[in-house]
Amino acid sequence: MLQVLYSYFWWDRLWLPANLTWASLEQQDGRVRAHPSDLYITFPFAFVFLLLRHLFEMYVATPLAHLLNVKDKVQLKATPNPVLETFYSSSSKRPKQVDIEALSKKCGYTPRQVERWFRRRRNQDRPSMLKKFREASWRFTFYLLAFIAGMSVIVDKPWFYELNKVWEGYPIQTLLPSQYWYYVIELSFYWSLLFSVASDVKRKDFMEQIIHHVATIILITFSWYTNYIRAGTLVMALHDASDYLLESAKMFNYAGWKNTCNNLFIVFSVVFIISRLIIFPFWILHCTVIYPLDIYPPFFGYYFFNSMMIVLQCLHIFWAYYIVRMAHKFLTGKVVKDERSDHAETDSLEEQEEEKEGAAAGHSTKNGPLTNGHPILNNNHQKAE
């Protein structure tokens, strides 16, 4: 059964144009071709990236955060309460008003105290500023180095300047060592992103991020199998062109350097719009959709590859929407924040109260623990509420 599935999966008609077989791609006259088995190494390399990330965050990103004075806002912890914790874990993190009333009767809190407990409990689950900074630092470092490496791989190639040469001689094209390592490093990194997605900072576009990672992995792998390597290197380099700018803007935002963050965000916005909404659809996508038809008739691989490219383009448009919203806020004088971020919650009527309690929590050795959402104060301190 497995052998039948294997033979169907690697059927020439799925992956290659008509009148071509896998034997047609084998080494000839010293030419090296890409083999599917070459990518097996990306799995152990993905775990190497996870280890490198851990070491980087500990010994580079954390000291850098301290140097840039990255600080976490003091968040009050929710008082341990089994009834509310059970509801929070098993039912909903945002109870409805009828649930708040019922929980209030069960645990002896006022409805206002129940609302405050859930707000604080949600804030506890949100990632710290240091975690966000370290993650952004790691991605900034990789994307910057990957972009430099990608440009060094393709900038001296004729198909970088004349896209029709991407398909010159296809599919009998030799694999260059620089292309091999570029593919291995990029694919390994995206595997590591997929493996760590559950523990990374979750944003509002969490599902879109997963779709992006999966689509990217499929595109990289498929382009390798079908020898779309020239097109693949162009796509990867184009995507790395703006990502490091976004991550650097995040780093300075977490460090409180608002002007630097805003300036980098504007540069990122321009590069993103040009690369993802202009160059990608009108040059790269045109290159993969139109030019191959001059060489061979469409086949399954052609449709599949370009379908994944269109998925990426849809994601570009989705993210461009957020970027335009943030750019509009910046131009109208509002503070620019990552629209995808899940920010800590405060109640407008209790904001001052929360800040006072946060300051009091900083003196926990004097004030003691919280009970029913209220600090227990000694006789030398006034009540915060």
Side-chain angles (χ1 to χ4, degrees), residues 53-97:
R53 172 179 175 173
H54 177 70
L55 296 174
F56 178 90
E57 290 183 350
M58 283 184 59
Y59 298 109
V60 178
T62 300
L64 181 60
H66 294 155
L67 184 64
L68 295 177
N69 204 26
V70 176
K71 292 182 178 179
D72 287 319
K73 182 180 179 181
V74 176
Q75 296 289 355
L76 296 174
K77 292 186 176 181
T79 308
N81 186 297
V83 174
L84 299 181
E85 186 65 39
T86 300
F87 187 92
Y88 180 88
S89 302
S90 60
S91 298
S92 173
K93 297 182 180 180
R94 297 181 181 274
K96 299 178 181 178
Q97 188 60 39

Side-chain angles (χ1 to χ4, degrees), residues 21 42 103 116 121 128 148 205 268 271 313-314 324 350:
T21 64
T42 60
L103 291 169
R116 183 185 303 153
R121 186 64 181 83
S128 67
I148 295 172
D205 63 345
F268 158 74
V271 174
Q313 184 57 37
C314 291
V324 170
E350 300 182 33

